[in-house]
Amino acid sequence: MNSMAQRLMHNPLFSHVYERHWRPVFTRLFSLGGTGTADFDRALSAYLSRPGERLMLDVACGPGNYTRRFADGLTGDGRCIGVDYSPAMLAQAVRTNAGGHAVYLRADAHALPFPDDTFDVVTCLAALYLIGDPLPVLDELLRVTRPGGEVVIFTSVRTELNALPGVGRLAEMSGFRIFGRDEITNRLRSAGADQIEQTITGQGQYVIAVKPD
Ligand SMILES: C[S@@+](CC[C@H](N)C(=O)[O-])C[C@H]1O[C@@H](n2cnc3c(N)ncnc32)[C@H](O)[C@@H]1O
């Protein structure tokens, strides 16, 4: 935990302002003031919070902003488990986004404390670019997904703009990784994922993949 971005995630003050003040601005920044990312985000949230009795895992959940939203759609014994390694973020999640079908657990995304083939849906949103050694995390997300289940990712992607030397260097210095266009999809494919869909919105990419039956 060394980069500026990683230190920020462990800061209690940042965890307080994250959901309401930081995340909406950050989402807009991904489409550079446009609404492409926010529009896709809304559609994806609606899909993931549709009513049903699912077991969901939200990896690197931060203050539980998505965990709670997904959990609110769940019925019966459905649960959405938010996992994060920052105590400050988890404390905020428990304060503001727990209850109902949302629960939280502290764990490292590289070693999720769940058996193989457990979850109907596994999400990792706006986090992979901050996680050290992120590609093995993709294998781990797929490992805990049940056959026929989905892995959903939102992260950065290399574009003409962020490939400019000054921008790339700034991102690197703050601990923010920019993924090559095929880096995420190739790794998921190598790990055995199927039906991989990638949508690029501005500076970000959404990837949805299925673990084959
Ligand atoms: C920018 S927040 C994203 C929160 C939320 N998913 C969202 O979309 O708004 C990134 C989160 O990743 C978490 N994180 C970073 N590295 C991690 C790791 N190795 N294991 C678990 N969580 C990690 C941080 O603590 C932080 O809460």
Side-chain angles (χ1 to χ4, degrees), residues 6-174:
Q6 284 170 329
R7 284 200 301 274
L8 206 55
M9 297 302 145
H10 286 253
N11 182 313
L13 189 61
F14 184 70
S15 71
H16 276 278
V17 298
Y18 179 85
E19 182 170 2
R20 188 167 303 179
H21 301 291
W22 174 264
R23 187 58 159 96
V25 172
F26 204 64
T27 302
R28 286 188 78 92
L29 268 179
F30 261 100
S31 41
L32 287 179
T35 61
T37 306
D39 292 346
F40 195 97
D41 189 71
R42 235 186 322 278
L44 183 70
S45 285
Y47 170 65
L48 292 175
S49 54
R50 69 194 183 279
E53 188 172 344
R54 291 179 296 281
L55 195 52
M56 301 178 72
L57 181 67
D58 185 22
V59 175
C61 64
N65 39 323
Y66 284 98
T67 316
R68 178 56 183 261
R69 209 176 299 169
F70 303 154
D72 281 348
L74 297 174
T75 56
D77 289 333
R79 289 283 176 277
C80 188
I81 304 177
V83 161
D84 203 285
Y85 79 168
S86 156
M89 285 292 192
L90 280 179
Q92 180 70 6
V94 168
R95 243 189 326 267
T96 56
N97 284 316
H101 296 265
V103 291
Y104 296 94
L105 185 72
R106 185 166 183 224
D108 187 330
H110 295 94
L112 296 169
F114 304 104
D116 297 357
D117 304 339
T118 299
F119 294 94
D120 297 298
V121 181
V122 177
T123 56
C124 183
L125 304 172
L128 265 187
Y129 43 64
L130 298 177
I131 298 180
D133 195 17
L135 296 181
V137 170
L138 296 171
D139 306 343
E140 191 62 353
L141 302 181
L142 203 64
R143 180 186 70 74
V144 300
T145 304
R146 72 158 172 80
E150 290 171 308
V151 173
V152 179
I153 289 156
F154 172 65
T155 192
S156 57
V157 69
R158 172 82 52 220
T159 65
E160 273 181 25
L161 177 71
N162 64 41
L164 294 172
V167 182
R169 181 85 189 106
L170 187 67
E172 207 176 274
M173 277 166 52
S174 56

